[in-house]
C-alpha cells in the first residue's frame, strides 16, 4: 500500500499512503524522538518529517495545520489520560504555534497551525531544519497540577471508599481533571467532602513528589499502583507522593504538592454500571470556581436584600412561607371545588340510572383539577363526571366514577378512558375511580362529552 520515491541529491522523501492520501515529506532522518520534557520546557530540535495530520486530530481545533516530527522535544505527547502540550516552534524567522502533541509510532508529532501559505511554511522549515521548541509554561503547569492532584484523588478515594476502588479512565487537562473509577454506588456528599479534605490536606502539607525508573516487578513489590489491562515494559516510571501515593505513570508532574494550590470537586456522577466519575479543578481553576460561587452568593443576597451570611436563613423562611401559601391555596381550591360541584350537579343528567355531568373549570394545574374531580365524586351519588381544564392550550380531562357506580354497575374510569382513546384518539389512563387524558384543545370537550353519554347509555 505504501510507495516511496527518493529524490537523488536532496534530503527529501515523499511517501504517499494510497488508503489515506497522507503525504509526508522527510526533512532529516529521524527514527525516534527523545523526550526531554520532564526536566526542560524548551530545547533545540531538528525537524524530521512534515505531513498532513489526520482529520480526527484536526477536528479538535480551528484553522489549517501541518504535522511536524522532530529528533527531540520538550512537548509531552497525549497519553495516559493527559492531553498533549501546546506552545511554539521556531524554525526560521517566523515562529509557529503548536496546538497539540501526540505520538506517531516512535516519534512525537507536533500539530502546527499554518498562519498563511502552506507551501511557504514547508519551505521555511526545510530551509531552517534546526529550530527551537518552547512549551507553554502556564498551560503545562496547570496540567501538572491536575495530574498530580489526580494521583492524590485516587489515593483519597481508596482511603474513604475502600481499596476495591481502581481507576477506570481519566482526563488530565489544563482547566480540569476527570477521574473514572470502579465503585458500586453513588458517593455520598459527606464522603465527597472527606475526599476533598484529604486531598487538600496533602496539598497544604506540601509533600515531595518524586519520579524514578525501576524494574516493573520491583515497582509492584514496592506497592506501586498499575492500571489493569495496561501493558508495561520491563522498566517503568514510578511517581511517588510522600506516604500518600505511588503509581506507575509516564505523565508530567509537579515537584511538590503545595504547587497544586487548592483542589475542589465540581461533580460526582455515574458513568456506567459500577463506574463513577469525579470531576475537579485545581490552581487557578479552583480559585475561579470559588470566586464565581462567592459572586453568585453575593448576587442572591442582594436579590433577597440580606447579607451573604443571612442568605440561608432567608431562603428557609421563604420556603416555609411558600409551603404555607401552597397549603392555603390547596384548602381554598378544595372549598371552591365543593361549592362549584354542588352547582354543577344541578345540571346532571340521568342515563339509565347513572348521573352524568360534564363541565370545564378554570384551574391553574392538574392538582386543582383533581380537587374538582374528588368533590364531584363525593356528591354525585351513583354517577360519572367529566371535568376538563378551560382556557389552556392543551387541557387535561378527568373521568371520575363514584364508588357506588363502580361496585353496583361495574363502571370504571380507566375503562371509559381507554374507550375514549380507542374511538377518539385521546389516549390516557388511570385507576377505576379516576383517570385522565389530554385534549389538543378545549373545543374537543363537547365531542368527548357526547361520546361518554353514548358509552353510558343502556344497550
Amino acid at each position: 500500500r505504501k510507495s516511496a520515491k527518493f529524490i537523488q541529491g536532496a534530503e527529501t522523501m515523499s511517501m504517499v499512503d494510497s488508503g489515506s492520501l497522507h503525504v509526508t515529506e522527510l526533512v532529516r532522518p529521524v527514527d525516534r524522538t527523545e523526550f526531554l520534557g520532564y526536566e526542560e520546557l524548551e530545547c533545540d530540535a531538528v525537524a524530521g518529517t512534515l505531513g498532513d495530520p489526520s482529520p480526527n486530530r484536526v477536528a479538535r481545533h480551528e484553522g489549517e495545520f501541518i504535522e511536524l516530527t522532530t529528533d527531540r522535544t520538550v512537548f509531552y505527547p497525549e497519553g495516559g489520560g493527559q492531553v498533549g502540550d501546546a506552545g511554539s516552534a521556531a524554525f526560521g524567522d517566523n515562529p509557529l504555534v503548536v496546538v497539540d502533541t501526540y505520538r506517531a509510532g516512535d516519534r512525537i508529532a507536533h500539530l502546527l497551525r499554518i498562519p498563511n501559505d502552506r507551501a511557504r511554511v514547508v519551505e521555511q522549515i526545510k530551509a531552517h531544519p534546526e529550530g527551537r521548541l518552547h512549551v507553554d509554561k502556564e498551560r503545562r503547569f496547570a496540567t501538572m497540577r491536575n495530574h498530580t492532584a489526580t494521583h492524590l484523588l485516587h489515593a483519597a478515594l481508596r482511603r474513604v471508599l475502600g481499596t476495591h476502588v481502581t481507576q477506570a479512565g481519566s482526563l488530565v487537562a489544563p482547566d480540569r481533571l476527570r477521574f473514572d473509577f470502579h465503585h458500586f454506588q453513588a458517593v455520598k456528599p459527606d464522603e465527597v467532602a472527606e475526599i476533598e479534605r484529604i486531598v487538600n490536606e496533602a496539598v497544604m502539607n506540601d509533600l515531595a513528589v518524586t519520579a524514578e525508573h525501576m524494574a516493573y516487578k520491583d515497582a509492584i513489590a514496592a506497592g506501586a499502583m498499575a492500571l489493569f489491562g495496561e501493558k508495561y515494559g520491563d522498566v517503568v516510571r514510578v511517581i511517588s507522593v510522600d506516604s500518600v501515593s505511588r503509581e506507575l505513570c509516564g505523565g508530567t508532574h509537579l515537584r511538590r504538592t503545595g504547587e497544586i494550590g487548592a483542589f475542589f470537586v465540581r461533580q460526582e456522577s455515574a458513568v456506567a454500571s459500577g463506574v463513577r466519575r469525579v470531576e475537579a479543578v485545581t490552581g487557578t481553576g479552583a480559585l475561579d470556581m470559588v470566586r464565581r460561587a462567592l459572586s453568585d452568593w453575593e448576587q442572591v443576597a442582594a436579590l433577597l436584600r440580606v447579607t451573604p451570611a443571612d442568605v440561608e436563613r432567608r431562603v428557609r423562611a421563604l420556603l416555609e412561607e411558600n409551603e404555607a401559601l401552597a397549603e392555603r391555596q390547596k384548602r381554598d381550591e378544595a372549598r371552591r371545588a365543593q361549592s362549584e360541584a354542588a352547582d354543577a350537579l344541578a345540571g346532571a343528567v340521568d342515563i339509565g340510572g347513572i348521573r352524568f355531568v360534564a363541565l370545564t373549570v378554570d384551574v391553574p394545574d392538574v392538582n386543582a383539577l383533581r380537587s374538582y374531580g374528588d368533590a364531584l365524586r363525593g356528591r354525585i351519588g351513583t354517577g360519572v363526571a367529566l371535568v376538563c381544564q378551560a382556557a389552556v392550550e392543551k387541557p387535561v380531562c378527568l373521568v371520575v366514577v363514584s364508588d357506588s357506580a363502580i361496585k353496583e354497575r361495574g363502571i370504571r374510569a380507566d375503562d371509559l378512558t381507554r374507550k375514549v382513546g380507542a374511538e377518539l384518539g385521546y389516549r390516557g389512563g388511570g385507576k377505576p375511580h379516576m383517570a385522565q387524558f389530554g385534549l389538543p384543545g378545549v373545543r374537543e370537550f363537547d365531542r368527548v362529552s357526547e361520546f361518554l353519554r353514548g358509552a353510558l347509555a343502556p344497550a
Side-chain angles (χ1 to χ4, degrees), residues 407-430:
K407 295 176 182 178
E408 298 170 10
R409 307 296 289 271
I411 301 172
R412 294 168 56 106
D414 49 351
D415 286 342
L416 292 174
T417 300
R418 275 193 290 271
K419 290 179 180 179
V420 169
E423 294 295 326
L424 305 181
Y426 310 137
R427 299 189 180 278

Side-chain angles (χ1 to χ4, degrees), residues 83-129:
V83 300
D85 276 332
S88 64
F91 291 85
D93 296 332
N94 300 313
L96 298 169
V97 175
V98 179
V99 300
D100 199 1
T101 313
Y102 45 91
R103 291 200 174 276
D106 291 332
R107 292 173 293 184
I108 294 176
H110 310 80
L111 189 64
L112 307 181
R113 178 176 280 117
I114 300 172
N116 39 51
D117 183 55
R118 178 188 180 88
R120 183 180 300 177
V121 171
V122 173
E123 290 305 316
Q124 172 186 328
I125 296 176
K126 285 183 179 180
H128 304 278

